[in-house]
Amino acid sequence: ANATPKEKQLTAEQEATTEQQLYEVAKRFLEAQVDAAIKDIKAIGDPTEEQLAQFVDEALQIISTLLVSQGAIEQALGIQLLQNAGITANTVTPFKLSTSQVDRYRSYLKRVGESYSDDTRKAIQAVLDRANLEGYTNQQIRSALRDVVKLDDYRVVRLARTETVRAGGNASLFSMEQIQADTGATIYKVWTTTSSAPCPTCASLDGTRVGLAEPFVPSGGIVEGTDGGIFVNNWVAADVASIHPNDECTITYEVAR
């Protein structure tokens, strides 16, 4: 098997644009949930199915644009991978997102939206609990609820950053999935750290090699860090090299001759 170049990192401009667009989508979703609580302070302000669907649709549109443009670039690296291994790439077709890939991403973003709104619900409930304890007036309650948007801005930023990085990793993975399907080659993905000081979990995962369809860490999976600590993946399966917010890990690939 031949080691290959890592996935092409997003340019600073791509990252900044995508992060800003996702930030705006996530902030609107947060504001809608808080606004619902302000209108009815006896309610928690759960998002409606329509609001969740809008978040998913808007985020997916932004991410799909990145996947298509970056996927074509990643495909060139994949072709180089095959050529380095002495395998012809004549049967590789132009990169295109498959229905299955889009559906997988839509399902994932729904999970993201549900988790995000659950954290917003907890922030709103904390305000209502404090208001009940300290005897807030309705005006004071509404003022405190409006502050949730400002105080929870870090979550908006984190979501935008994390999902931008994940989209870059998926562009790489999706292009490799298509190359494998087009050529019949067997390709493996390898977890690769890039930080000079990776966290203990990422350091432990460094060098892990699995098939393209396999997760590095399944949902519910356990990783023992280099420091002896235990990480339990309570989120979705780690299909790309990203296990926590602001993860700097990447994917490299190997192909079986």
Side-chain angles (χ1 to χ4, degrees):
N2 284 2
T4 63
K6 65 184 178 182
E7 62 180 270
K8 185 178 184 301
Q9 299 297 312
L10 299 177
T11 66
E13 183 179 0
Q14 282 177 311
E15 284 192 351
T17 298
T18 303
E19 281 186 37
Q20 181 60 34
Q21 291 173 332
L22 288 174
Y23 174 89
E24 291 170 359
V25 169
K27 188 167 186 178
R28 284 196 296 271
F29 189 41
L30 169 64
E31 289 173 337
Q33 192 169 351
V34 172
D35 285 346
I38 291 173
K39 290 177 182 177
D40 183 1
I41 57 177
K42 295 180 180 180
I44 298 299
D46 289 335
T48 64
E49 287 297 321
E50 291 77 11
Q51 288 170 335
L52 177 60
Q54 181 177 355
F55 166 80
V56 172
D57 288 344
E58 291 180 351
L60 184 60
Q61 182 176 3
I62 294 165
I63 290 172
S64 293
T65 299
L66 184 147
L67 290 174
V68 170
S69 62
Q70 188 69 12
I73 297 172
E74 297 288 351
Q75 188 180 65
L77 292 178
I79 290 173
Q80 180 185 342
L81 160 67
L82 296 187
Q83 293 172 339
N84 289 348
I87 299 174
T88 180
N90 295 340
T91 56
V92 176
T93 57
F95 177 73
K96 181 180 180 181
L97 282 175
S98 70
T99 300
S100 173
Q101 289 167 342
V102 173
D103 288 345
R104 279 156 51 192
Y105 226 116
R106 182 180 294 280
S107 295
Y108 166 74
L109 287 173
K110 184 177 180 183
R111 285 283 305 275
V112 170
E114 290 171 341
S115 175
Y116 181 71
S117 65
D118 186 55
D119 286 341
T120 303
R121 182 187 305 110
K122 291 175 182 177
I124 292 170
Q125 185 63 61
V127 169
L128 298 179
D129 290 344
R130 187 170 69 251
N132 183 60
L133 182 65
E134 299 181 13
Y136 283 14
T137 64
N138 284 349
Q139 183 178 355
Q140 289 174 318
I141 294 174
R142 291 188 172 92
S143 177
L145 287 172
R146 291 188 186 94
D147 286 341
V148 169
V149 175
K150 292 182 290 184
L151 294 174
D152 277 30
D153 188 68
Y154 76 94
R155 289 199 298 117
V156 185
V157 172
R158 184 178 62 190
L159 183 150
R161 174 60 183 163
T162 300
E163 297 313 320
T164 297
V165 171
R166 182 180 177 84
N170 272 296
S172 172
L173 177 58
F174 289 173
S175 68
M176 287 299 184
E177 288 178 347
Q178 181 176 323
I179 288 174
Q180 181 169 261
D182 285 347
T183 65
T186 300
I187 303 173
Y188 298 95
K189 58 187 179 184
V190 183
W191 188 293
T192 307
T193 58
T194 63
S195 171
S196 60
C199 75
T201 301
C202 289
S204 179
L205 287 167
D206 188 36
T208 300
R209 188 181 87 153
V210 297
L212 296 185
E214 300 175 60
F216 286 112
V217 184
S219 179
I222 296 174
V223 179
E224 182 176 353
T226 53
D227 62 349
I230 299 298
F231 170 82
V232 179
N233 182 20
N234 293 320
W235 188 228
V236 298
D239 295 324
V240 297
S242 179
I243 203 73
H244 58 76
N246 301 314
D247 202 320
E248 296 180 10
C249 296
T250 190
I251 306 172
T252 54
Y253 297 92
E254 294 177 1
V255 59
R257 291 182 181 274

